[in-house]
């Protein structure tokens, strides 16, 4: 028993099995086969390894963004001059990755709680008090109905912030059309945790003096982190004056595609711009059910001990900054996995070649006999020549 | 030398090797083997290819969200009527993907900087001035202690925004219980960069007239982008009146699972709702250490040249809208990788079959002899018949 | 014909092919081979399966975050005492995952729209009215120039919010240095959709009484969700008093790495802190073009029917909380894919061994003859002995 284990063990270690193969000297099959195999090899090396970098392990970035707008607008509405600076036109104020730059607005000054007539915009008409259900609220209405129908406006009286905002006409041209010249400064920091790499969009070539004067341009200044608002909108395929009037949303994509096998200096951001919410540049003909971007915003104050508010309906450019980071670095696992898959595909090539050899070439029967050995016939022979077989087993193996 | 290279080269190109195989005519082994192989094949085709779509390359979406609440609430607290509209109850105002809808609040009107007594809520009690450490701040306190113990309240005097907010009792029922009827409109735009596909949740069948009247329902209106706040809360498994009182957080998931090999029209969003922060619907019995959702918010104003503020402790429904997008499209790389892996698994099947053949069937020794050729014996023979071998190499190969 | 199909079919089912192999009794080659094969096996089992958990399918988390700051600061500037509480120093107020804690500020009280002199900070100097282009706006300026050069300040007169903010000197030490002692409470909820698992950072061992008293410490309290602001900054490798003065950004990473094959109780968050925007702790010597973090913020009010505002230039610690969740669970697909790849790599090992055998060992020609069978010679023999071959095909197979 012991010696048997020993034999098995020594056999396992000192014996090595390798498949027996037929060398088929058939030019047609061989050439086709070699071409297939070289195609597979070229695919594995060229595509999987070189192009797709299958030997790299990939990590996606965790990003953080800080933004800062700069610029001032001046308006002169009904002889009232007014200046708008960053604190006035950016929402929210703290430099988030998603924010709105006001470009147009409808202001309703001095609203206070009370009763007044609903806006006569067609949907709120009434003929008698019966049309104004007391205590109810209409989906398109601005407040709770008191039950009275006002004669002057033919609309229900409501309890609301009065006077009610009249947003039937959007100012055209937009009030803050000069917003086009505002500049946006983006600071973006990304972390590839797996590789312990931290990187900022203020790369090596972007220093303080460059930042003071540069303006992003895809060709001449692709790394400048300062963008003109008008440029952002135009590059996303939208029209600034239209967007400025009714509002719109723009995506700014910061795309990092880093090969960390090279120097970290080559890991640079690329900026892309596109319109959001179906108003895209691809000229899609699909219906655009909901154009524009607006929201309401109130500034509260107390006047003569009464709480009042200034309601602003703000139209603006909403900017969503999105970071898309991806870094690859050589690693043994994906390399071996790619090789393993490649060898598997080689197996497929072999199967295809064998099909050719065994089913398509004229001398297929001959090759079949070369490739395959039938046990059946040998079994029969084995049965007849059993003594022989057991005595000279090596012969039976032929 | 030159001819040798030529021979090697021509051999490589015109010769093709294919493994020699034994055809084992053993019904039991063959049937078991074929079943295993067909199982593997079925797994590769059925599961990897059909179900998991292993032939597709996958991209995750970059999404952008804009939200808009609609609705008005009317309150009548101690005979003071008040209307609440969007500008009053949504934080932040600009339509972010994460926002809070106020449903309850504790208001402290007219706070100004000064000295007043700390709230007598048990934790801030004092018996003498010695208990009130001047200039110190208590973790649960509202301001800096002046060092005096106030007799009226038995609490320390503090320098703070006075009067101090009294949040010991949360209004019940919640002040803005009608928030249940507010509606939420969600605009969602996603981009699959790898496939250059932009898509909006306002899909083909959602047009302006539909939006004007529809309300989301998972069965009847699964694509309507307008949601009733009460429905969102109920569908997440929470109770609206409880959430409205103490606040809570709801996740709204917009799930895109697109097969871009089909028409883009089939790429549609699915909406899901769930409670966040351990108050989930799965009926988990784990302790819930921190229920509710609230934050403080101040409206500042100047009265008689003194800065004052109205402090609101806001309880509300926080809604986090999350986009989860995934699109697949046929690509040659994952297809070949899947095939390669499949061939590898086929190899495993062959190994299993060989085990059967060589170790389990009765005639295993016979099959072993069929399959394996020993070099040792032949080597010995080779040594003896060296001249023969070199003369007729093809014979030695048998 | 029918019988032919039947034969093919029965052949397919009752016959099974297995490769013929040579057992090479060559110690050197065998030992090298076995070592290579065992290396591959060890790699597949040890690395791919045990370490990288290649048998698991992986899902990334969808996370949601709610934050709450606590703490009060007291300032005494030019004999004006003032208290700062959460509603005063956190932006935005509603508990987002990204927020700013004010630590320093420059306040400009009582700005109103009007004409005043530009700030004399060097860049805005003028000698005569000609230097002040009427209606124009300078990139670094605060408003629209009226065309006059003011003698008193030697700067242009501008239409702006007056008086203009003077931010030439940042208060040092920072006004709210005590912000160091503020505490931050983080609630984080994650969902692994693929596994239907919801998890909160308030794990089993974190109950209400623990939360009331604990403070995060990486060693002693790694699960406490309450963080001291000063600790966060220090742990990110930054200096609090410097950051407090000019502002800075900190990333707080909540890292979930869960093995769902184990009990869910082992799925716990890990907190990590790092400085953002190139002011990192890795002691990078690269230029830091844009240190600090600040934004402007206005509180509007109406005084004597004139709109005024208090402008604050806020310096602060911006905290970005990022969730990085990853869970693995056993699944048959990745297991089989890993096995398939492993078998593929085994194939590579075999190729390497064959190279050894066929090109490096002394008796390589002998082994070549053992492994390969040439069809050419047999073909010639076949041609001569064609009748024989067709009569006894099994012999030709040898």
């Amino acid at each position: 028993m012991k010696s048997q284990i020993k034999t098995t063990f020594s056999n396992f270690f000192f014996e090595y099995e390798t498949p027996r193969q037929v060398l088929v000297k058939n030019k047609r099959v061989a050439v086709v086969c070699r071409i297939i195999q070289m195609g597979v090899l070229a695919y594995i090396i060229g595509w999987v390894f070189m192009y797709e970098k299958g030997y790299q392990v990939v990590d996606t970035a965790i990003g953080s963004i800080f933004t800062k707008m700069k610029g001032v607008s001046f308006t002169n509405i009904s002889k009232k001059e007014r200046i708008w600076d960053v604190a006035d036109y950016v929402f929210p104020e703290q430099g988030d990755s998603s924010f709105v730059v006001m470009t147009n607005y409808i202001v309703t000054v001095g609203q206070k709680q009370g009763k007044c007539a609903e806006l006569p915009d067609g949907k709120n008409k009434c003929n008698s008090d019966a049309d104004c259900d007391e205590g109810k609220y209409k989906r398109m209405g601005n407040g709770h109905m008191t039950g009275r129908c006002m004669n002057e406006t033919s609309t229900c009286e409501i309890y609301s912030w009065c006077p009610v905002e009249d947003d039937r006409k959007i100012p055209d041209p937009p009030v803050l059309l000069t917003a086009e010249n505002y500049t946006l400064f983006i600071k973006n920091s990304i972390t590839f945790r797996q590789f312990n790499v931290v990187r900022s969009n203020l790369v090596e070539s972007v220093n303080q003096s460059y930042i003071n004067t540069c303006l992003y341009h895809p060709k001449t200044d692709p790394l400048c982190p300062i963008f003109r608002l008008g440029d952002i909108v135009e590059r996303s395929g939208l029209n600034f004056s239209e967007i400025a009037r009714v509002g719109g949303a723009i995506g700014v994509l910061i795309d990092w595609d880093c090969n960390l096998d090279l120097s970290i200096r080559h890991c640079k951001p690329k900026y892309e711009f596109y319109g959001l919410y179906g108003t895209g540049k691809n000229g899609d003909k699909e219906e655009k059910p909901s154009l524009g971007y607006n929201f309401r915003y109130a500034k509260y104050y107390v006047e003569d001990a009464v709480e009042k508010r200034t309601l602003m309906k703000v139209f603006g450019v909403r900017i969503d900054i999105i970071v898309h980071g991806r870094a690859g670095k050589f690693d043994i696992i994906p390399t071996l996995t790619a090789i393993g898959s490649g060898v598997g595909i080689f197996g497929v090539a072999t199967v295809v070649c064998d099909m050719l050899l065994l089913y398509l070439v004229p001398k297929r029967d001959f090759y079949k006999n070369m490739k395959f050995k039938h046990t059946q016939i040998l079994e029969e022979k084995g049965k007849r020549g059993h003594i022989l077989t057991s005595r000279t087993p090596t012969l039976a193996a032929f």
Side-chain angles (χ1 to χ4, degrees), chain A:
Chain A
M1 185 66 200
K2 209 175 163 187
S3 74
Q4 200 182 332
I5 290 167
K6 210 175 156 185
T7 311
T8 311
F9 191 80
S10 80
N11 274 353
F12 176 74
F13 261 100
F14 300 145
E15 230 172 50
Y16 142 77
E17 73 274 357
T18 179
R20 294 172 71 181
Q21 301 195 299
V22 196
L23 283 174
V24 178
K25 268 249 155 70
N26 181 308
K27 279 195 190 180
R28 268 176 298 176
V29 175
V31 166
V32 168
C33 251
R34 292 302 181 200
I35 287 172
I36 292 176
Q37 283 176 348
M38 280 161 75
V40 170
L41 200 71
Y43 157 76
I44 293 168
I45 292 175
W47 190 257
V48 178
F49 273 80
M50 315 274 277
Y51 188 82
E52 296 275 336
K53 299 200 182 64
Y55 58 86
Q56 288 189 333
V57 67
V58 168
D59 192 20
T60 51
I62 296 171
S64 183
I65 286 166
F66 165 56
T67 57
K68 197 167 198 170
M69 293 292 302
K70 275 234 159 82
V72 173
S73 270
F74 178 78
T75 58
N76 192 337
I77 299 165
S78 39
K79 302 241 167 133
K80 231 192 130 192
E81 294 174 318
R82 199 186 149 97
I83 200 90
W84 301 84
D85 69 6
V86 178
D88 297 325
Y89 65 68
V90 175
F91 306 86
E93 69 272 339
Q94 78 270 6
D96 259 6
S97 65
S98 171
F99 60 94
V100 181
V101 178
M102 176 164 71
T103 53
N104 205 1
Y105 64 87
I106 294 165
V107 67
T108 314
V109 182
Q111 283 190 326
K112 60 179 177 181
Q113 299 272 340
K115 291 172 185 173
C116 51
E118 182 62 273
L119 196 68
D121 64 349
K123 294 171 202 149
N124 300 304
K125 273 223 171 108
C126 67
N127 295 316
S128 68
D129 290 0
D131 293 342
C132 301
D133 219 348
E134 192 186 336
K136 283 277 155 54
Y137 153 72
K138 279 187 183 166
R139 187 159 168 178
M140 291 300 169
N142 290 295
H144 269 232
M145 289 182 275
T146 59
R148 272 186 62 198
C149 183
M150 308 285 276
N151 288 329
E152 306 84 30
T153 57
S154 293
T155 56
C156 298
E157 190 193 51
I158 51 171
Y159 193 92
S160 178
W161 285 98
C162 290
V164 165
E165 180 195 74
D166 181 0
D167 61 351
R168 285 172 296 175
K169 240 188 95 187
I170 301 173
D172 191 4
V175 186
L176 299 169
L177 194 55
T178 50
E180 201 170 5
N181 293 318
Y182 297 167
T183 55
L184 166 64
F185 171 48
I186 301 177
K187 260 206 249 185
N188 170 223
S189 170
I190 55 163
T191 310
F192 294 109
R193 292 190 62 236
Q194 210 172 327
F195 308 129
N196 207 14
V197 166
V198 178
R199 192 87 180 132
S200 159
N201 69 330
L202 309 174
V203 294
E204 287 79 8
S205 60
V206 178
N207 54 31
Q208 190 59 58
S209 63
Y210 181 62
I211 286 180
N212 282 342
T213 57
C214 76
L215 197 63
Y216 173 83
H217 187 278
K219 289 274 161 55
T220 59
D221 293 270
L223 292 171
C224 177
I226 294 171
F227 305 83
R228 201 174 146 267
L229 189 62
D231 288 353
I232 291 178
V233 173
E234 300 293 344
R235 290 220 167 81
S236 74
L238 299 168
N239 179 277
F240 188 82
S241 60
E242 199 194 318
I243 285 295
R245 196 173 64 86
V246 297
I250 311 279
V252 175
L253 183 82
I254 308 183
D255 190 22
W256 297 83
D257 192 356
C258 294
N259 182 350
L260 296 181
D261 292 331
L262 306 178
S263 160
I264 188 77
R265 301 176 78 91
H266 296 106
C267 179
K268 285 173 186 172
K270 237 170 46 192
Y271 302 94
E272 285 172 29
F273 312 90
Y274 49 90
L276 299 173
Y277 310 129
T279 56
K281 58 180 161 180
N282 295 326
D284 43 5
K285 281 149 206 150
E286 60 175 83
E287 239 181 304
K288 291 158 191 162
S290 187
L291 248 169
Y293 187 96
N294 63 74
F295 64 90
R296 280 182 187 81
Y297 158 68
K299 291 187 269 190
Y300 297 88
Y301 58 95
V302 175
E303 202 174 45
D304 305 330
V306 175
E307 190 185 9
K308 293 190 175 181
R309 71 175 193 185
T310 299
L311 182 68
M312 310 253 315
K313 180 166 183 173
V314 175
F315 301 85
V317 181
R318 166 151 164 185
I319 295 189
D320 275 14
I321 301 174
I322 298 156
V323 180
H324 192 266
R326 189 189 163 286
K329 198 174 189 175
F330 171 79
D331 191 83
I332 193 72
I333 301 252
T335 308
L336 288 176
T337 305
I339 290 176
S341 284
V343 170
I345 301 170
F346 250 98
V348 178
T350 302
V351 169
V352 171
C353 292
D354 281 4
M355 297 269 175
L356 270 183
L357 187 76
L358 302 175
Y359 297 106
L360 290 182
V361 296
K363 280 192 283 181
R364 49 183 175 266
D365 289 327
F366 171 72
Y367 291 121
K368 260 184 212 165
N369 282 333
M370 295 290 293
K371 185 176 166 69
F372 295 111
K373 179 168 74 175
H374 288 269
T375 60
Q376 207 181 24
I377 295 155
L378 283 158
E379 272 178 73
E380 277 156 20
K381 280 170 75 181
K383 271 170 197 162
R384 272 184 285 136
H386 190 66
I387 300 152
L388 178 81
T389 312
S390 56
R391 266 195 299 185
T392 55
T394 50
L395 275 174
F398 298 137

